[in-house]
Amino acid sequence: MKIVIIGSLYAPHIVGGAEVSTQILAEALASEAEVHMVTLGPQKRSEGVRKERIAGVTVHRLPHHNLYWLGDSKGRGTLPRTIRRLVDLYNPRLIGAVRELMQDIRPDLIHTQNLSGFGAAVWTAAPKSGTPIVHTLRDYSLLSPFSSPLNNPALARLYAMTSGAFSRRVAAVVGISSHILRRHTDAGLFPNAERRVIPNAVEGEIAAPPGKRFDPGPLTIGYFGRIEPEKGVRELIDAVLPLPRDIVARVLVCGEGGQKAQLQELCARDDRFVFLGKVKPAEARRRMGEADVNFVPSIWEEPFGRVIIESYQVGTPVYAARVGGIPDAVWNPAEFLFPPGSAAAIRDKIVAFYAKPADEKRRIQASCLEHCRQFTQAAQLQRHLELYARTLSGGGDYAVAAVYGQVQ
């Protein structure tokens, strides 16, 4: 089988979790099929397509054919960003370049990922022979060019109209959570597509750090992620500040962001808060394992909860906000979810976990380690191969099918 994956950026150009997840999928598929990755590069139009081989995947980097390359967005003002996004709505030069490449590769199946830089119109570049298209929803860029679609419902409806028209060409759509899939299908996108929920694969050894103790005592709490208002870090801090040291001994805050200086000032008189900045993955993993419990207090609609699974891999439980795709990733959501934006609800969860006996904490750790096995690369590969087989055979009942978690 010959598969073409199309996505905005590809290694070594990594901006966030979407690029990491796309690379994990592409390299897993390369063990079973001939895989071509079509992505965008920084080169001028006159330089043409750059081709290279990375971990068994043939990577084709096309000139971006836009105002600037997506990987060079830092420091761009509102006007150039707006122009680039408008060009994304329909970029005939880029669509033509993709169509020409598809005619050369002749894939059996096309699997698109994040399409910022390409735009939904890239689905028209599929060969006329009827090569089926599968799309994975990793963000909300088909619904709105700006962050969460909830920020501007009117703009989201307008933007979704364009995406919706092109999405009729998609044979199967995958959501990395039931929430992100439902948000798009409720908006009218992918009317002809079979629907599946397949979570991201999260790489990492599944093993708790040796010697971890569960004796009663003050907690070490961890937060790992960007420090921005929509991430709910302020609410976590507000929850901890009134609590005595015999309940919370330390709070590890790993990450950078525009709210960091403000929150450091807020915590200046409380030495329990340790701001570690952005750390390397191995260090983040070690710190996650050090914590007794980690928190994901997001307020905005997270498409998925990668950091939750990463925490489970080292045996540390997670309390998280009931928002976006987070509920699908959390083990025992009835107990470990809380309303977003509520410092009081976070405080209640901290106190409840502190009060748990050691034996119960050990059982929770074992359950977290087992739960994260659903998110391995092998599990993701098998689910995609099954979906590809159904799509190529023309099967599908167009029902939403979850392969994990809760479809609510």
Side-chain angles (χ1 to χ4, degrees):
M1 179 165 54
K2 191 183 295 186
I3 300 168
V4 164
I5 299 174
I6 300 176
S8 308
L9 297 170
Y10 195 72
H13 308 299
I14 302 295
V15 173
E19 291 78 38
V20 173
S21 297
T22 298
Q23 184 179 7
I24 291 172
L25 175 61
E27 292 179 1
L29 288 170
S31 66
E32 302 288 337
E34 179 182 329
V35 179
H36 295 257
M37 179 72 205
V38 177
T39 187
L40 299 175
Q43 72 269 28
K44 296 178 181 178
R45 190 180 307 158
S46 59
E47 296 180 46
V49 180
R50 294 179 181 174
K51 186 176 177 180
E52 59 184 309
R53 188 94 167 159
I54 301 176
V57 178
T58 303
V59 181
H60 309 261
R61 300 187 196 275
L62 278 62
H64 53 81
H65 293 281
N66 207 322
L67 192 62
Y68 61 88
W69 177 50
L70 189 64
D72 191 25
S73 297
K74 191 174 182 179
R76 303 282 180 175
T78 301
L79 181 59
R81 286 175 179 269
T82 301
I83 293 173
R84 187 194 65 75
R85 288 164 175 150
L86 288 173
V87 173
D88 272 2
L89 290 175
Y90 194 82
N91 188 338
R93 285 185 179 273
L94 184 56
I95 293 167
V98 174
R99 183 178 292 116
E100 184 177 332
L101 193 56
M102 294 302 99
Q103 291 171 349
D104 182 47
I105 298 173
R106 294 183 168 284
D108 297 304
L109 181 141
I110 296 170
H111 191 164
T112 54
Q113 310 289 315
N114 278 16
L115 291 177
S116 185
F118 285 100
V122 75
W123 290 323
T124 66
K128 292 183 179 180
S129 59
T131 305
I133 299 170
V134 175
H135 181 70
T136 291
L137 296 164
R138 301 191 183 280
D139 64 13
Y140 303 101
S141 61
L142 294 177
L143 295 176
S144 172
F146 304 105
S147 188
S148 169
L150 290 180
N151 289 349
N152 192 326
L155 178 61
R157 284 194 297 271
L158 179 62
Y159 209 78
M161 286 176 61
T162 303
S163 301
F166 292 121
S167 74
R168 294 179 180 276
R169 297 171 177 260
V170 175
V173 59
V174 174
I176 59 173
S177 67
S178 57
H179 171 82
I180 198 169
L181 179 60
R182 185 169 56 247
R183 288 286 281 117
H184 285 77
T185 55
D186 284 354
L189 277 71
F190 308 105
N192 303 320
E194 182 173 358
R195 305 165 189 176
R196 286 287 181 270
V197 177
I198 303 178
N200 286 330
V202 181
E203 290 187 310
E205 181 186 4
I206 300 175
K212 189 163 186 174
R213 300 182 64 178
F214 298 92
D215 298 338
L219 300 174
T220 294
I221 292 171
Y223 169 81
F224 301 83
R226 291 186 295 111
I227 306 178
E228 302 289 353
E230 67 270 17
K231 289 294 188 175
V233 192
R234 171 64 187 265
E235 285 72 17
L236 175 61
I237 290 172
D238 287 343
V240 173
L241 281 172
L243 293 173
R245 290 176 181 266
D246 59 356
I247 292 182
V248 178
R250 190 168 54 149
V251 179
L252 304 176
V253 181
C254 290
E256 294 286 350
Q259 202 182 22
K260 181 181 176 183
Q262 175 191 344
L263 296 184
Q264 283 179 308
E265 184 177 352
L266 178 67
C267 303
R269 296 183 180 181
D270 192 330
D271 62 4
R272 293 179 295 173
F273 293 89
V274 182
F275 287 81
L276 298 169
K278 187 175 182 179
V279 299
K280 293 182 178 180
E283 174 70 2
R285 184 179 178 88
R286 184 177 73 80
R287 295 289 188 173
M288 283 181 182
E290 281 182 9
D292 297 297
V293 62
N294 292 316
F295 275 78
V296 179
S298 293
I299 296 170
W300 89 291
E301 296 181 355
E302 299 280 0
F304 182 61
R306 173 177 292 275
V307 71
I308 297 170
I309 307 306
E310 290 172 340
S311 182
Y312 289 163
Q313 287 177 339
V314 294
T316 303
V318 177
Y319 286 100
R322 187 184 291 106
V323 66
I326 286 175
D328 280 0
V330 169
W331 172 76
N332 191 5
E335 180 178 352
F336 284 88
L337 292 177
F338 55 84
S342 173
I346 295 173
R347 190 178 303 120
D348 288 345
K349 294 299 185 183
I350 293 171
V351 173
F353 190 79
Y354 168 77
K356 291 182 183 298
D359 286 347
E360 185 176 354
K361 289 178 180 177
R362 287 192 184 91
R363 287 194 295 271
I364 290 171
Q365 182 188 76
S367 296
C368 291
L369 289 167
E370 183 60 32
H371 177 76
C372 68
R373 298 183 190 281
Q374 302 174 65
F375 302 84
T376 63
Q377 189 180 56
Q380 186 196 55
L381 173 61
Q382 184 60 37
R383 290 160 183 162
H384 277 91
L385 291 176
E386 291 170 358
L387 176 60
Y388 294 165
R390 284 177 59 82
T391 304
L392 288 167
S393 68
D397 55 8
Y398 306 110
V400 177
V403 294
Y404 86 122
Q406 306 79 36
V407 177
Q408 301 170 340

